[in-house]
Structures are given as structure tokens and as C-alpha cells.
Amino acid sequence: MTTARRGIWPASVPEDVYPPQEDSQLLIDTAVSSGRIVGQRVADLCAGSGVVGIAAAAEGAADVRAFEICPRAVHEAKTNAAVAGVDMNVHLGPWTRAAEFAPFDVVLSNPPYVPDFEDERERIPTLAGPPQSYNGGYDGRAILDPLCLSVADLLAPNGTFFLVHSEFSGVDRSLNLLRGTGLSADVVARQMIPFGPVLNARAAWLERTRLLELGRRVEELIVIRADKL
Ligand SMILES: C[S@@+](CC[C@H](N)C(=O)[O-])C[C@H]1O[C@@H](n2cnc3c(N)ncnc32)[C@H](O)[C@@H]1O
């Protein structure tokens, strides 16, 4: 049983909050198995239900701060932390607010990263979560680009960043942006998963853009680890 399933995974979330999914789980498992969490100051950027930060707190982080723009999700994250019996400060606001509390030893993020185009949105069932939780702009990089460009400023010396996103959101671009700020950066975890409702709704468009081979309906999630040397 993975860390997330041992009591920190919320039993349910409201429709307007992102339900933790494979990306949440892969990020948690990668960060926890790295051994980088215990005793550290941790930030969870784009926290949603709070599951990632709660996992870090449950693993023994010294201090966890979560940042999230949706007031309903902030409420959920606070409630879920209380239910899990861990301390986590949850801040309402954009991920950039983390700069007020930096530096962090570890920064974790599962941001919105799915490439989107307006016309398909209404066909996506609400079980996928609210659009602001997954839509990452036309190339999926509306948050990924500024995040990769500035996360080094949030990290303490020897600090570590773990970032999860899809193969469709530009893995090499994330690596290059992170390396360009002086961090070492590599893909440290990969997982193939079947398309969920969002990518199923966008499959034909992704095929037209050549990001997706005709007929393929699985995506690879990746976790990037970036270290400040
Ligand atoms: C993919 S969900 C991930 C939620 C949670 N971390 C998880 O793994 O289950 C992304 C979250 O980012 C939030 N979000 C979107 N834009 C944001 C921003 N600029 N700053 C902070 N949070 C943001 C969304 O409301 C959503 O809850």
C-alpha cells in the first residue's frame, strides 16, 4: 500500500475541488521514496485537496505550507489535514505567494498542465474536477513555464523540487528551463495511465496537433526532480 492510501487520501472531495488522481499519487510516492521529506521545510504549490502536502507532513516534514487559489479547495485542504492529524498551513492565493515564506528545502507541485482549447471544455464530466485544476493553456505551460523559471528562488541551498506533469506538456521544455536557472534536473519517475475524461475529450485535437499518435489513448506521466547545488 502506498503512502497516500495509508490514511491521508481524502475519502471524497466536492465537485469543485480536484480529486487526487494518478499524478498526485506518483508525485507523493516519488517525493517520499527520495528520503528528502523528513525534517524538512516543504511547500506544496497548487495544493487542491491538500493530499500532497498532507503526505509530506505525515512523512515527517518539519513544516508544510500549501498554496491554492480556490477558496473551496483551501477549506478542503485544511479539513483533510485535520482529519489526517497533521499540521499544515494552507494559504489562499497563487503559488507565487510561496515567495513570502521561502526558502524551502523541498517544493512539490502538481499544477494544472493539460493543453486545452476552449471548444472541448463543456464535454468534460465534472468528476474530472474544475477546469482551473487541469487546464494549462494552449500548450499546457501557463503555470509550468513561470514555475520552472522561478522555483530556484524558492529553494534553500541543496533544496529539491519535485514536479509532475504529462508527456503532452513539454517535458524537455521543463528540463531545459529548470537547468537554465542553475538547477540539475532529470525525469526520475514515469507512469503510463489510460486517458481520463479530459484527455479523452481532447484526443482528436491532440491527434490533429501531432502530439498524439492516431488511436493511442494512454499518456505518460513524468516526475521531474530538480536540485539546487
Ligand atoms: C492538478 S490540481 C492538483 C491538486 C493536488 N495538488 C493534487 O495533487 O491532487 C491543480 C490545483 O492547482 C490549483 N491552481 C490553479 N492555478 C493556481 C495558481 N495560479 N496558484 C495556486 N493554485 C492554483 C487548482 O485550483 C487545483 O486545485
Side-chain angles (χ1 to χ4, degrees):
M1 185 180 285
T2 59
T3 303
R5 304 289 181 194
R6 287 198 303 262
I8 59 111
W9 204 263
S12 64
V13 295
E15 265 187 10
D16 48 0
V17 176
Y18 184 79
Q21 297 175 37
E22 290 94 336
D23 48 5
S24 325
Q25 184 71 68
L26 187 62
L27 176 61
I28 290 167
D29 289 346
T30 306
V32 167
S33 65
S34 75
R36 289 286 293 119
I37 300 294
V38 179
Q40 302 296 289
R41 295 163 295 174
V42 175
D44 175 8
L45 310 184
C46 303
S49 67
V51 68
V52 174
I54 292 168
E59 184 62 17
D63 181 77
V64 182
R65 292 184 184 274
F67 301 87
E68 167 60 49
I69 53 166
C70 168
R72 185 63 187 263
V74 166
H75 175 76
E76 282 298 302
K78 288 178 177 174
T79 304
N80 291 334
V83 169
V86 299
D87 288 328
M88 178 170 76
N89 290 296
V90 187
H91 300 276
L92 174 64
W95 63 270
T96 49
R97 275 205 67 197
E100 296 171 31
F101 305 91
F104 296 96
D105 303 305
V106 179
V107 174
L108 308 169
S109 189
N110 177 13
Y113 56 71
V114 181
D116 74 277
F117 71 119
E118 303 271 343
D119 298 349
E120 299 278 343
R121 287 184 189 172
E122 64 278 8
R123 288 199 266 132
I124 297 171
T126 54
L127 64 83
Q132 70 178 11
S133 69
Y134 50 80
N135 281 336
Y138 187 78
D139 60 0
R141 301 205 57 90
I143 289 183
L144 285 173
D145 276 354
L147 179 57
C148 289
L149 283 168
S150 63
V151 73
D153 297 333
L154 300 178
L155 291 172
N158 302 312
T160 303
F161 176 45
F162 291 97
L163 170 70
V164 66
H165 68 73
S166 168
E167 64 174 301
F168 299 122
S169 321
V171 178
D172 285 343
R173 183 166 172 81
S174 292
L175 292 170
N176 289 334
L177 290 179
L178 289 163
R179 289 169 183 161
T181 67
L183 302 179
S184 69
D186 289 290
V187 174
V188 293
R190 300 176 182 274
Q191 183 182 358
M192 297 298 297
I193 62 168
F195 275 13
V198 179
L199 284 184
N200 269 323
R202 295 177 183 166
W205 174 62
L206 288 169
E207 287 174 343
R208 287 198 297 279
T209 64
R210 308 278 172 97
L211 278 173
L212 177 67
E213 297 91 346
L214 284 177
R216 175 157 75 97
R217 293 296 180 266
V218 291
E219 73 169 318
E220 186 174 54
L221 298 176
I222 59 93
V223 178
I224 290 173
R225 172 176 174 159
D227 290 285
K228 190 168 187 171
L229 305 174

